[in-house]
Amino acid sequence: MDKTFHIVTFGCQMNVNDSDWLTRALVCRGWRQAPEDEAWLFVLNTCSVRDKPEQKVYSELGRLDMHRKGKPGLTAAVGGCVAQQIGAGFFERFPFVRLVFGSDGIAQAPDALDQLAEDPGARLALLDFEASYPEREALLQPMPKAALPAYDADAGAPEAGPAQSFVNIMQGCDNFCAYCIVPYTRGRQKSRQPGAVLAECRARVEQGAREITLLGQNVNSFGLDAGGAGVGFAELLRQVAAIPGLLRLRFTTSHPKDIDPAVVRAFGELENLCPALHLPLQAGSDAVLLRMGRKYDRARYLDIVQALRAVRPDIALTTDLIVGFPGETEEDFAQTLEMMERVAFESSFSFRYSDRPGVASLRMGPKVPEDVGQERLLRLQSLQNGITKESLKALEGREANVLLEAPSRRQDEGQPFWRGRDPGGRVVNVRLSSDVAGTQLGGRMLRVRVVEAKNHSLLGEKVGPPW
Ligand code: SAH
Ligand code: SF4
Ligand code: F3S
Protein backbone atom coordinates (compact mmCIF):
# COMPACT_ATOMS: atom_id res chain seq x y z
CA MET A 1 0.00 0.00 0.00
CA ASP A 2 1.22 3.43 -0.99
CA LYS A 3 1.43 5.53 2.19
CA THR A 4 0.01 8.82 0.91
CA PHE A 5 -1.82 11.40 2.99
CA HIS A 6 -3.69 14.65 2.74
CA ILE A 7 -4.34 16.92 5.74
CA VAL A 8 -7.09 19.52 5.97
CA THR A 9 -6.91 21.90 8.94
CA PHE A 10 -9.59 24.01 10.60
CA GLY A 11 -9.24 26.19 13.68
CA CYS A 12 -6.56 28.14 15.43
CA GLN A 13 -2.80 28.41 15.03
CA MET A 14 -2.34 25.55 17.48
CA ASN A 15 -4.12 23.29 15.01
CA VAL A 16 -2.06 24.68 12.14
CA ASN A 17 1.08 23.93 14.13
CA ASP A 18 -0.18 20.45 15.04
CA SER A 19 -0.89 19.67 11.38
CA ASP A 20 2.55 20.93 10.44
CA TRP A 21 4.13 18.64 13.03
CA LEU A 22 2.06 15.66 11.87
CA THR A 23 3.07 16.33 8.27
CA ARG A 24 6.73 16.35 9.23
CA ALA A 25 6.38 13.25 11.39
CA LEU A 26 4.67 11.29 8.61
CA VAL A 27 7.15 12.40 5.95
CA CYS A 28 10.02 11.31 8.24
CA ARG A 29 8.36 7.86 8.39
CA GLY A 30 8.24 7.52 4.64
CA TRP A 31 4.73 8.78 3.99
CA ARG A 32 4.14 11.12 1.06
CA GLN A 33 1.88 14.17 0.91
CA ALA A 34 -0.61 13.93 -1.95
CA PRO A 35 -3.58 15.85 -3.35
CA GLU A 36 -6.90 14.82 -1.84
CA ASP A 37 -7.93 12.77 -4.88
CA GLU A 38 -4.82 10.64 -4.76
CA ALA A 39 -4.24 10.22 -1.03
CA TRP A 40 -5.01 6.92 0.72
CA LEU A 41 -5.33 8.67 4.07
CA PHE A 42 -7.37 11.80 4.69
CA VAL A 43 -6.67 13.62 7.96
CA LEU A 44 -9.10 16.23 9.22
CA ASN A 45 -7.77 18.42 12.03
CA THR A 46 -10.86 19.97 13.53
CA CYS A 47 -12.11 22.93 15.57
CA SER A 48 -15.06 23.00 17.89
CA VAL A 49 -15.01 26.56 19.16
CA ARG A 50 -18.31 27.46 17.47
CA ASP A 51 -21.08 25.37 15.97
CA LYS A 52 -20.16 26.28 12.38
CA PRO A 53 -16.65 24.76 12.28
CA GLU A 54 -18.03 21.67 14.02
CA GLN A 55 -20.72 21.27 11.34
CA LYS A 56 -18.06 21.72 8.65
CA VAL A 57 -16.39 18.55 9.92
CA TYR A 58 -19.53 16.47 9.33
CA SER A 59 -20.10 17.98 5.92
CA GLU A 60 -16.46 17.36 4.91
CA LEU A 61 -16.73 13.73 6.01
CA GLY A 62 -20.09 13.41 4.25
CA ARG A 63 -18.53 14.78 1.07
CA LEU A 64 -15.66 12.29 1.36
CA ASP A 65 -18.13 9.47 1.90
CA MET A 66 -19.93 10.39 -1.34
CA HIS A 67 -16.63 10.62 -3.11
CA ARG A 68 -15.56 7.27 -1.73
CA LYS A 69 -18.44 5.42 -3.37
CA GLY A 70 -16.34 5.02 -6.49
CA LYS A 71 -13.08 4.59 -4.59
CA PRO A 72 -13.15 1.91 -1.91
CA GLY A 73 -10.40 1.74 0.68
CA LEU A 74 -10.26 5.40 1.61
CA THR A 75 -9.24 5.84 5.24
CA ALA A 76 -9.76 8.94 7.35
CA ALA A 77 -8.41 10.15 10.67
CA VAL A 78 -10.10 12.89 12.67
CA GLY A 79 -7.97 14.93 15.05
CA GLY A 80 -8.26 18.07 17.13
CA CYS A 81 -11.07 19.51 19.18
CA VAL A 82 -14.12 17.89 17.56
CA ALA A 83 -12.36 14.52 17.78
CA GLN A 84 -11.80 15.09 21.49
CA GLN A 85 -15.44 16.09 21.91
CA ILE A 86 -17.15 13.36 19.86
CA GLY A 87 -14.48 10.66 20.17
CA ALA A 88 -15.35 7.14 19.05
CA GLY A 89 -18.79 8.44 17.94
CA PHE A 90 -17.09 9.10 14.60
CA PHE A 91 -16.56 5.37 14.03
CA GLU A 92 -20.30 4.72 13.99
CA ARG A 93 -21.26 7.71 11.93
CA PHE A 94 -18.46 7.41 9.36
CA PRO A 95 -17.12 3.84 9.18
CA PHE A 96 -14.16 4.89 7.03
CA VAL A 97 -12.85 6.95 9.98
CA ARG A 98 -10.30 4.62 11.59
CA LEU A 99 -8.43 6.93 13.93
CA VAL A 100 -9.59 9.68 16.25
CA PHE A 101 -6.98 11.63 18.16
CA GLY A 102 -7.26 14.49 20.62
CA SER A 103 -4.84 17.27 21.48
CA ASP A 104 -2.60 15.14 23.72
CA GLY A 105 -3.09 12.01 21.61
CA ILE A 106 -1.48 13.57 18.53
CA ALA A 107 1.97 12.63 19.88
CA GLN A 108 1.07 8.98 19.19
CA ALA A 109 -0.82 9.62 15.94
CA PRO A 110 2.10 8.86 13.55
CA ASP A 111 2.58 5.38 15.12
CA ALA A 112 -1.17 4.80 15.03
CA LEU A 113 -1.35 5.76 11.36
CA ASP A 114 1.47 3.33 10.53
CA GLN A 115 -0.55 0.66 12.33
CA LEU A 116 -3.68 1.47 10.29
CA ALA A 117 -1.69 1.18 7.10
CA GLU A 118 -0.48 -2.30 8.09
CA ASP A 119 -3.67 -3.65 9.61
CA PRO A 120 -6.81 -2.96 7.52
CA GLY A 121 -9.04 -4.02 10.42
CA ALA A 122 -7.54 -1.65 13.01
CA ARG A 123 -9.49 1.20 14.60
CA LEU A 124 -7.81 3.39 17.16
CA ALA A 125 -8.76 6.18 19.56
CA LEU A 126 -6.15 8.41 21.21
CA LEU A 127 -8.26 10.58 23.47
CA ASP A 128 -6.62 10.49 26.89
CA PHE A 129 -5.29 13.63 28.48
CA GLU A 130 -1.78 13.43 29.88
CA ALA A 131 -0.85 14.78 33.31
CA SER A 132 2.01 16.86 31.95
CA TYR A 133 2.83 18.49 28.59
CA PRO A 134 2.88 15.67 26.03
CA GLU A 135 6.32 16.21 24.53
CA ARG A 136 6.44 14.97 20.93
CA GLU A 137 9.13 13.52 18.76
CA ALA A 138 11.42 16.52 18.26
CA LEU A 139 11.84 16.31 14.44
CA LEU A 140 14.57 18.90 14.67
CA GLN A 141 16.43 17.73 11.60
CA PRO A 142 15.85 19.72 8.40
CA MET A 143 13.24 18.25 6.10
CA PRO A 144 13.82 17.24 2.50
CA LYS A 145 13.16 20.28 0.32
CA ALA A 146 10.11 18.85 -1.41
CA ALA A 147 8.47 17.77 1.83
CA LEU A 148 8.21 21.13 3.55
CA PRO A 149 4.61 22.04 4.23
CA ALA A 150 2.93 25.41 3.74
CA TYR A 151 5.42 26.82 1.31
CA ASP A 152 4.54 28.07 -2.11
CA ALA A 153 5.57 25.33 -4.51
CA ASP A 154 5.92 27.75 -7.42
CA ALA A 155 8.48 29.79 -5.53
CA GLY A 156 10.44 26.68 -4.58
CA ALA A 157 10.85 25.76 -0.95
CA PRO A 158 13.96 27.11 0.73
CA GLU A 159 16.70 24.67 1.68
CA ALA A 160 15.86 24.92 5.35
CA GLY A 161 12.54 25.40 7.16
CA PRO A 162 10.18 28.30 6.55
CA ALA A 163 11.09 31.79 7.75
CA GLN A 164 8.24 31.82 10.29
CA SER A 165 7.69 29.13 12.86
CA PHE A 166 5.16 28.42 15.55
CA VAL A 167 6.44 26.87 18.76
CA ASN A 168 4.05 25.47 21.38
CA ILE A 169 4.79 26.48 24.93
CA MET A 170 1.78 24.96 26.63
CA GLN A 171 -1.31 22.87 26.14
CA GLY A 172 -4.86 23.34 27.40
CA CYS A 173 -6.57 26.02 29.43
CA ASP A 174 -7.85 26.37 33.01
CA ASN A 175 -9.96 29.49 32.61
CA PHE A 176 -13.36 28.04 31.76
CA CYS A 177 -14.71 31.28 30.30
CA ALA A 178 -18.48 30.73 30.37
CA TYR A 179 -18.87 30.40 26.58
CA CYS A 180 -15.79 28.37 25.76
CA ILE A 181 -15.36 24.70 24.93
CA VAL A 182 -11.54 24.81 24.75
CA PRO A 183 -10.86 23.70 28.37
CA TYR A 184 -12.94 20.58 27.62
CA THR A 185 -11.35 19.83 24.26
CA ARG A 186 -7.74 20.73 25.10
CA GLY A 187 -7.76 19.74 28.74
CA ARG A 188 -6.11 21.38 31.75
CA GLN A 189 -3.26 23.82 31.33
CA LYS A 190 0.13 22.13 31.09
CA SER A 191 3.22 24.26 30.57
CA ARG A 192 6.03 22.78 28.56
CA GLN A 193 9.53 22.51 30.02
CA PRO A 194 11.37 25.75 29.17
CA GLY A 195 14.42 23.74 28.07
CA ALA A 196 12.32 21.95 25.44
CA VAL A 197 10.83 25.26 24.23
CA LEU A 198 14.30 26.78 23.89
CA ALA A 199 15.73 23.74 22.13
CA GLU A 200 12.93 23.81 19.56
CA CYS A 201 13.29 27.57 19.04
CA ARG A 202 17.05 27.26 18.55
CA ALA A 203 16.64 24.41 16.08
CA ARG A 204 14.05 26.39 14.12
CA VAL A 205 16.39 29.37 13.89
CA GLU A 206 19.24 27.11 12.77
CA GLN A 207 16.94 25.79 10.05
CA GLY A 208 16.29 29.30 8.77
CA ALA A 209 13.41 30.65 10.87
CA ARG A 210 13.67 34.40 11.31
CA GLU A 211 10.43 34.80 13.20
CA ILE A 212 8.97 32.66 15.96
CA THR A 213 5.46 32.84 17.41
CA LEU A 214 5.11 31.21 20.82
CA LEU A 215 1.73 29.52 21.10
CA GLY A 216 -0.65 28.70 23.92
CA GLN A 217 -4.30 29.30 24.82
CA ASN A 218 -3.20 31.67 27.57
CA VAL A 219 0.54 32.26 27.35
CA ASN A 220 0.49 34.76 30.20
CA SER A 221 -0.16 31.99 32.67
CA PHE A 222 2.82 29.95 31.44
CA GLY A 223 4.57 28.34 34.39
CA LEU A 224 1.71 28.85 36.82
CA ASP A 225 0.88 25.13 36.71
CA ALA A 226 3.20 22.30 37.73
CA GLY A 227 5.17 22.53 34.43
CA GLY A 228 7.39 25.44 33.48
CA ALA A 229 10.15 24.64 36.01
CA GLY A 230 9.66 27.91 37.90
CA VAL A 231 10.12 30.03 34.78
CA GLY A 232 7.31 32.55 34.17
CA PHE A 233 6.26 33.84 30.78
CA ALA A 234 8.22 37.11 30.99
CA GLU A 235 11.41 35.14 31.71
CA LEU A 236 10.69 32.66 28.92
CA LEU A 237 10.27 35.55 26.50
CA ARG A 238 13.63 36.94 27.53
CA GLN A 239 15.35 33.60 27.03
CA VAL A 240 13.81 33.02 23.59
CA ALA A 241 14.48 36.61 22.51
CA ALA A 242 18.18 36.11 23.28
CA ILE A 243 18.58 33.33 20.68
CA PRO A 244 21.14 34.60 18.17
CA GLY A 245 19.69 35.06 14.69
CA LEU A 246 16.07 35.40 15.81
CA LEU A 247 14.88 38.63 14.21
CA ARG A 248 11.27 38.60 15.33
CA LEU A 249 9.43 37.17 18.30
CA ARG A 250 5.65 37.11 18.72
CA PHE A 251 3.25 35.25 20.99
CA THR A 252 -0.42 34.40 21.14
CA THR A 253 -2.88 34.28 22.88
CA SER A 254 -2.82 36.58 25.88
CA HIS A 255 -5.52 36.71 28.49
CA PRO A 256 -5.74 40.26 29.91
CA LYS A 257 -6.31 39.02 33.47
CA ASP A 258 -2.88 37.36 33.62
CA ILE A 259 -0.65 39.82 31.80
CA ASP A 260 2.37 40.47 33.99
CA PRO A 261 3.82 44.01 34.18
CA ALA A 262 7.16 42.37 33.27
CA VAL A 263 5.62 41.23 29.96
CA VAL A 264 4.38 44.76 29.31
CA ARG A 265 7.87 46.08 30.05
CA ALA A 266 9.40 43.50 27.72
CA PHE A 267 7.77 45.33 24.80
CA GLY A 268 9.99 48.28 25.59
CA GLU A 269 13.09 46.23 26.32
CA LEU A 270 13.42 43.32 23.91
CA GLU A 271 14.44 44.58 20.53
CA ASN A 272 13.18 41.59 18.57
CA LEU A 273 9.84 41.38 20.38
CA CYS A 274 7.45 42.69 17.72
CA PRO A 275 5.25 45.68 18.57
CA ALA A 276 2.05 43.69 18.18
CA LEU A 277 -0.30 42.13 20.69
CA HIS A 278 -3.48 40.15 20.24
CA LEU A 279 -5.40 40.84 23.45
CA PRO A 280 -8.92 39.39 23.34
CA LEU A 281 -11.41 41.78 24.91
CA GLN A 282 -14.54 39.66 24.13
CA ALA A 283 -17.01 42.32 25.31
CA GLY A 284 -17.02 45.98 26.28
CA SER A 285 -19.63 45.83 29.02
CA ASP A 286 -18.57 45.05 32.58
CA ALA A 287 -21.83 43.18 33.21
CA VAL A 288 -21.19 40.90 30.23
CA LEU A 289 -17.50 40.42 31.11
CA LEU A 290 -18.57 39.36 34.58
CA ARG A 291 -21.02 36.80 33.27
CA MET A 292 -18.43 35.57 30.79
CA GLY A 293 -16.13 34.92 33.76
CA ARG A 294 -13.29 36.88 32.17
CA LYS A 295 -12.09 38.29 35.52
CA TYR A 296 -11.20 41.79 34.26
CA ASP A 297 -13.27 44.85 33.55
CA ARG A 298 -13.11 47.74 31.08
CA ALA A 299 -10.97 49.85 33.40
CA ARG A 300 -8.37 47.09 33.84
CA TYR A 301 -8.27 46.44 30.09
CA LEU A 302 -7.79 50.14 29.36
CA ASP A 303 -5.00 50.31 31.97
CA ILE A 304 -3.16 47.52 30.20
CA VAL A 305 -3.56 49.31 26.85
CA GLN A 306 -2.23 52.51 28.34
CA ALA A 307 0.76 50.75 29.91
CA LEU A 308 1.56 49.00 26.63
CA ARG A 309 1.37 52.23 24.64
CA ALA A 310 3.54 54.00 27.21
CA VAL A 311 6.40 51.57 26.60
CA ARG A 312 5.71 50.97 22.90
CA PRO A 313 3.66 53.76 21.31
CA ASP A 314 3.63 52.00 17.93
CA ILE A 315 2.23 48.72 19.29
CA ALA A 316 -0.47 47.22 17.01
CA LEU A 317 -3.33 45.94 19.14
CA THR A 318 -5.77 43.38 17.81
CA THR A 319 -8.58 41.57 19.55
CA ASP A 320 -11.38 38.98 19.60
CA LEU A 321 -14.97 40.00 20.29
CA ILE A 322 -18.18 38.06 20.84
CA VAL A 323 -21.54 39.68 20.14
CA GLY A 324 -24.89 38.41 21.36
CA PHE A 325 -23.66 36.70 24.53
CA PRO A 326 -26.77 35.58 26.50
CA GLY A 327 -28.35 38.60 28.16
CA GLU A 328 -26.42 41.15 26.08
CA THR A 329 -28.58 44.28 25.80
CA GLU A 330 -28.32 47.04 23.22
CA GLU A 331 -26.60 49.15 25.92
CA ASP A 332 -24.08 46.38 26.61
CA PHE A 333 -23.36 46.14 22.90
CA ALA A 334 -22.97 49.92 22.64
CA GLN A 335 -20.16 49.57 25.19
CA THR A 336 -18.38 47.08 22.96
CA LEU A 337 -18.59 49.58 20.09
CA GLU A 338 -17.31 52.25 22.41
CA MET A 339 -14.33 50.15 23.55
CA MET A 340 -13.49 49.39 19.93
CA GLU A 341 -13.34 53.10 19.18
CA ARG A 342 -11.50 53.97 22.35
CA VAL A 343 -8.74 51.41 21.90
CA ALA A 344 -8.79 51.75 18.10
CA PHE A 345 -7.84 48.13 17.43
CA GLU A 346 -5.89 47.65 14.21
CA SER A 347 -8.11 44.72 13.42
CA SER A 348 -10.30 42.21 15.20
CA PHE A 349 -11.94 38.84 14.88
CA SER A 350 -15.57 39.12 15.86
CA PHE A 351 -18.04 36.29 16.23
CA ARG A 352 -21.70 35.84 16.96
CA TYR A 353 -22.10 33.90 20.20
CA SER A 354 -22.64 30.20 19.61
CA ASP A 355 -23.94 27.74 22.22
CA ARG A 356 -21.45 24.94 22.85
CA PRO A 357 -22.10 21.63 24.61
CA GLY A 358 -21.30 21.58 28.31
CA VAL A 359 -20.30 25.24 28.72
CA ALA A 360 -21.73 27.45 31.51
CA SER A 361 -23.42 29.99 29.20
CA LEU A 362 -25.67 27.25 27.82
CA ARG A 363 -27.86 27.79 30.87
CA MET A 364 -27.70 31.60 30.74
CA GLY A 365 -30.40 33.73 29.22
CA PRO A 366 -32.11 35.36 27.61
CA LYS A 367 -30.56 34.22 24.34
CA VAL A 368 -30.09 37.03 21.85
CA PRO A 369 -32.17 36.34 18.71
CA GLU A 370 -30.11 35.35 15.67
CA ASP A 371 -31.13 38.38 13.59
CA VAL A 372 -30.27 40.79 16.41
CA GLY A 373 -26.86 39.13 16.89
CA GLN A 374 -26.21 39.20 13.17
CA GLU A 375 -27.10 42.85 12.91
CA ARG A 376 -24.81 43.70 15.84
CA LEU A 377 -22.00 41.75 14.26
CA LEU A 378 -22.33 43.72 11.03
CA ARG A 379 -22.33 47.04 12.89
CA LEU A 380 -19.24 46.03 14.84
CA GLN A 381 -17.42 44.85 11.73
CA SER A 382 -18.27 47.98 9.82
CA LEU A 383 -16.90 50.12 12.67
CA GLN A 384 -13.74 48.00 12.68
CA ASN A 385 -13.31 48.33 8.92
CA GLY A 386 -13.31 52.10 9.23
CA ILE A 387 -10.76 52.05 12.08
CA THR A 388 -8.54 49.57 10.23
CA LYS A 389 -8.62 51.74 7.11
CA GLU A 390 -7.65 54.83 9.08
CA SER A 391 -4.81 53.13 10.92
CA LEU A 392 -3.39 51.77 7.67
CA LYS A 393 -3.79 55.15 5.95
CA ALA A 394 -1.68 56.74 8.69
CA LEU A 395 1.23 54.55 7.62
CA GLU A 396 1.38 55.84 4.02
CA GLY A 397 4.80 57.32 3.33
CA ARG A 398 6.39 55.59 6.34
CA GLU A 399 9.15 53.01 6.13
CA ALA A 400 9.15 49.58 7.72
CA ASN A 401 11.14 46.36 7.73
CA VAL A 402 9.18 43.67 5.95
CA LEU A 403 9.90 39.96 6.32
CA LEU A 404 8.99 38.37 2.99
CA GLU A 405 6.82 35.26 3.13
CA ALA A 406 5.62 34.24 -0.32
CA PRO A 407 4.82 35.66 -3.75
CA SER A 408 1.67 37.80 -3.63
CA ARG A 409 -1.44 36.78 -5.46
CA ARG A 410 -1.08 40.05 -7.31
CA GLN A 411 1.61 39.89 -10.04
CA ASP A 412 1.81 42.73 -12.56
CA GLU A 413 3.32 42.35 -16.01
CA GLY A 414 6.94 41.41 -15.43
CA GLN A 415 6.90 43.04 -11.97
CA PRO A 416 6.97 40.54 -9.15
CA PHE A 417 5.09 41.22 -5.92
CA TRP A 418 5.98 39.53 -2.64
CA ARG A 419 3.81 39.31 0.42
CA GLY A 420 5.35 39.93 3.81
CA ARG A 421 4.61 41.44 7.18
CA ASP A 422 5.80 44.54 8.98
CA PRO A 423 6.76 44.33 12.68
CA GLY A 424 3.16 45.12 13.68
CA GLY A 425 2.01 42.03 11.75
CA ARG A 426 0.31 43.99 8.95
CA VAL A 427 0.37 42.36 5.53
CA VAL A 428 2.51 44.32 3.07
CA ASN A 429 2.57 43.51 -0.63
CA VAL A 430 5.91 44.68 -1.95
CA ARG A 431 6.51 45.61 -5.58
CA LEU A 432 9.96 44.44 -6.61
CA SER A 433 12.12 45.00 -9.64
CA SER A 434 11.73 42.62 -12.55
CA ASP A 435 15.28 41.23 -12.18
CA VAL A 436 14.19 39.24 -9.13
CA ALA A 437 11.26 37.58 -10.89
CA GLY A 438 11.30 33.88 -10.08
CA THR A 439 13.85 34.26 -7.26
CA GLN A 440 13.15 32.62 -3.90
CA LEU A 441 12.94 35.54 -1.47
CA GLY A 442 11.07 33.98 1.46
CA GLY A 443 12.78 34.89 4.73
CA ARG A 444 14.47 38.03 3.42
CA MET A 445 14.04 41.20 5.44
CA LEU A 446 13.53 44.28 3.27
CA ARG A 447 13.33 47.99 3.97
CA VAL A 448 10.08 49.09 2.42
CA ARG A 449 8.23 52.38 1.96
CA VAL A 450 4.46 52.17 2.26
CA VAL A 451 3.01 53.69 -0.88
CA GLU A 452 -0.66 52.91 -0.45
CA ALA A 453 -3.05 51.67 2.21
CA LYS A 454 -5.58 49.11 0.96
CA ASN A 455 -8.61 48.00 3.01
CA HIS A 456 -6.82 45.27 4.93
CA SER A 457 -3.20 45.47 3.78
CA LEU A 458 -0.46 47.80 2.64
CA LEU A 459 1.26 48.24 -0.69
CA GLY A 460 4.97 48.95 -0.50
CA GLU A 461 8.11 49.51 -2.52
CA LYS A 462 11.61 48.44 -1.72
CA VAL A 463 13.75 51.30 -0.46
CA GLY A 464 17.34 51.49 -1.62
CA PRO A 465 19.18 50.11 -4.63
CA PRO A 466 17.55 47.49 -6.81
CA TRP A 467 18.95 43.98 -6.79
N1 SAH B 1 -7.52 31.29 24.27
C1 SAH B 1 -8.00 32.33 23.49
C2 SAH B 1 -9.22 32.05 22.69
C3 SAH B 1 -9.41 30.80 21.97
S1 SAH B 1 -10.93 30.64 21.17
C4 SAH B 1 -8.35 33.47 24.41
O1 SAH B 1 -8.63 33.28 25.56
O2 SAH B 1 -8.40 34.56 23.91
C5 SAH B 1 -10.86 31.95 19.97
C6 SAH B 1 -11.98 32.92 20.07
O3 SAH B 1 -13.20 32.31 19.73
C7 SAH B 1 -12.24 33.51 21.43
O4 SAH B 1 -11.37 34.56 21.73
C8 SAH B 1 -13.67 33.96 21.33
O5 SAH B 1 -13.75 35.29 20.85
C9 SAH B 1 -14.26 33.02 20.30
N2 SAH B 1 -15.19 32.09 20.93
C10 SAH B 1 -14.93 31.14 21.84
N3 SAH B 1 -16.04 30.48 22.19
C11 SAH B 1 -17.05 31.03 21.49
C12 SAH B 1 -18.46 30.80 21.42
N4 SAH B 1 -19.05 29.88 22.16
N5 SAH B 1 -19.20 31.56 20.57
C13 SAH B 1 -18.60 32.53 19.82
N6 SAH B 1 -17.30 32.79 19.85
C14 SAH B 1 -16.51 32.06 20.67
FE1 SF4 C 1 -11.43 29.69 26.10
FE2 SF4 C 1 -11.19 31.50 27.99
FE3 SF4 C 1 -9.43 29.51 27.84
FE4 SF4 C 1 -9.43 31.39 25.98
S1 SF4 C 1 -8.96 31.70 28.15
S2 SF4 C 1 -9.32 29.21 25.65
S3 SF4 C 1 -11.59 31.92 25.80
S4 SF4 C 1 -11.59 29.33 28.32
FE1 F3S D 1 -10.74 25.51 17.77
FE2 F3S D 1 -9.66 23.85 19.45
FE3 F3S D 1 -8.28 25.90 18.55
S1 F3S D 1 -11.74 24.53 19.49
S2 F3S D 1 -9.86 27.44 18.26
S3 F3S D 1 -9.00 24.23 17.35
S4 F3S D 1 -8.23 25.07 20.59
Side-chain angles (χ1 to χ4, degrees):
M1 198 269 314
D2 191 18
K3 285 182 170 178
T4 48
F5 71 101
H6 183 81
I7 303 188
V8 169
T9 308
F10 299 135
C12 60
Q13 284 151 324
M14 305 194 93
N15 265 14
V16 172
N17 192 35
D18 285 350
S19 291
D20 182 76
W21 176 83
L22 188 59
T23 302
R24 288 168 167 265
L26 289 175
V27 169
C28 286
R29 281 154 196 264
W31 289 67
R32 188 171 55 79
Q33 248 180 310
E36 185 191 310
D37 273 358
E38 295 162 26
W40 173 77
L41 170 72
F42 185 84
V43 183
L44 203 52
N45 199 2
T46 64
C47 172
S48 186
V49 81
R50 284 168 292 277
D51 187 51
K52 234 195 201 152
E54 183 186 340
Q55 295 311 323
K56 238 158 88 180
V57 175
Y58 308 125
S59 62
E60 266 295 275
L61 290 172
R63 187 182 60 79
L64 266 182
D65 198 16
M66 295 272 294
H67 188 69
R68 196 184 62 119
K69 300 273 186 272
K71 254 187 83 183
L74 171 85
T75 293
V78 183
C81 291
V82 183
Q84 194 77 58
Q85 182 196 337
I86 306 292
F90 275 110
F91 297 151
E92 282 143 46
R93 211 164 147 189
F94 301 99
F96 61 96
V97 172
R98 290 174 52 213
L99 171 69
V100 287
F101 59 94
S103 44
D104 288 3
I106 191 174
Q108 278 89 49
D111 281 347
L113 291 169
D114 274 339
Q115 207 178 320
L116 294 194
E118 273 142 39
D119 175 1
R123 273 227 160 119
L124 300 164
L126 300 170
L127 299 167
D128 290 344
F129 286 118
E130 304 290 326
S132 55
Y133 183 89
E135 202 53 60
R136 304 171 192 166
E137 204 178 319
L139 304 174
L140 297 180
Q141 71 279 28
M143 295 281 290
K145 193 172 171 176
L148 282 163
Y151 238 85
D152 192 312
D154 294 333
E159 293 301 332
Q164 294 96 339
S165 268
F166 292 128
V167 172
N168 264 355
I169 66 165
M170 63 210 297
Q171 183 72 280
C173 180
D174 284 349
N175 289 318
F176 291 93
C177 300
Y179 49 81
C180 187
I181 199 170
V182 171
Y184 306 92
T185 58
R186 295 258 166 183
R188 291 295 66 68
Q189 174 177 315
K190 289 165 294 203
S191 298
R192 189 177 180 191
Q193 286 294 311
V197 173
L198 283 163
E200 183 170 348
C201 292
R202 277 195 208 101
R204 293 301 179 111
V205 171
E206 275 159 26
Q207 288 166 25
R210 294 288 162 260
E211 174 177 312
I212 285 179
T213 304
L214 302 177
L215 288 184
Q217 288 300 347
N218 178 9
V219 293
N220 289 304
S221 63
F222 177 86
L224 300 182
D225 53 294
V231 173
F233 183 56
E235 178 54 27
L236 185 74
L237 268 183
R238 257 164 232 290
Q239 294 183 10
V240 175
I243 294 174
L246 179 64
L247 302 182
R248 287 182 172 182
L249 177 57
R250 304 181 190 278
F251 58 87
T252 201
T253 303
S254 283
H255 193 307
K257 86 176 160 62
D258 293 320
I259 196 160
D260 182 341
V263 171
V264 174
R265 283 198 303 276
F267 279 101
E269 293 163 1
L270 304 177
E271 226 169 89
N272 52 2
L273 181 60
C274 290
L277 182 66
H278 187 68
L279 193 63
L281 169 65
Q282 310 299 2
S285 140
D286 283 346
V288 174
L289 286 171
L290 187 68
R291 273 181 291 125
M292 284 179 164
R294 292 288 289 178
K295 303 189 177 74
Y296 55 84
D297 57 11
R298 298 159 56 85
R300 162 96 176 109
Y301 191 93
L302 290 169
D303 281 349
I304 299 168
V305 169
Q306 197 184 23
L308 285 163
R309 288 189 168 146
V311 294
R312 203 68 214 246
D314 60 339
I315 196 163
L317 295 174
T318 54
T319 202
D320 287 352
L321 294 158
I322 296 176
V323 302
F325 186 77
E328 183 189 75
T329 61
E330 185 54 36
E331 291 72 45
D332 289 323
F333 174 65
Q335 301 228 302
T336 300
L337 293 171
E338 199 251 349
M339 279 294 272
M340 178 176 269
E341 265 184 305
R342 226 199 252 206
V343 180
F345 295 107
E346 291 261 333
S347 65
S348 57
F349 295 109
S350 45
F351 314 98
R352 196 155 57 77
Y353 168 80
S354 161
D355 263 342
R356 304 308 293 130
V359 304
S361 57
L362 210 51
R363 297 179 305 275
M364 294 180 183
K367 300 285 183 218
V368 173
E370 198 176 315
D371 55 336
V372 175
Q374 190 56 29
E375 186 259 349
R376 287 183 190 165
L377 187 65
L378 291 178
R379 275 157 70 196
L380 189 66
Q381 290 177 343
S382 122
L383 177 64
Q384 180 64 73
N385 286 342
I387 298 172
T388 301
K389 228 174 171 162
E390 249 177 68
S391 67
L392 293 177
K393 192 92 192 146
L395 297 170
E396 282 183 354
R398 301 246 190 116
E399 288 186 10
N401 292 333
V402 172
L403 184 66
L404 297 183
E405 292 177 5
S408 303
R409 237 172 297 157
R410 168 181 182 162
Q411 297 294 331
D412 285 359
E413 293 259 317
Q415 274 222 297
F417 273 81
W418 270 71
R419 181 171 47 78
R421 282 179 196 271
D422 75 356
R426 304 169 190 95
V427 171
V428 188
N429 287 298
V430 189
R431 190 188 295 135
L432 296 164
S433 80
S434 48
D435 12 323
V436 297
T439 316
Q440 163 55 33
L441 300 171
R444 289 238 203 152
M445 189 75 92
L446 281 193
R447 191 74 187 157
V448 165
R449 179 177 307 107
V450 175
V451 293
E452 196 187 335
K454 301 280 182 190
N455 284 346
H456 297 283
S457 64
L458 298 166
L459 192 66
E461 273 175 359
K462 182 179 179 296
V463 179
W467 277 300

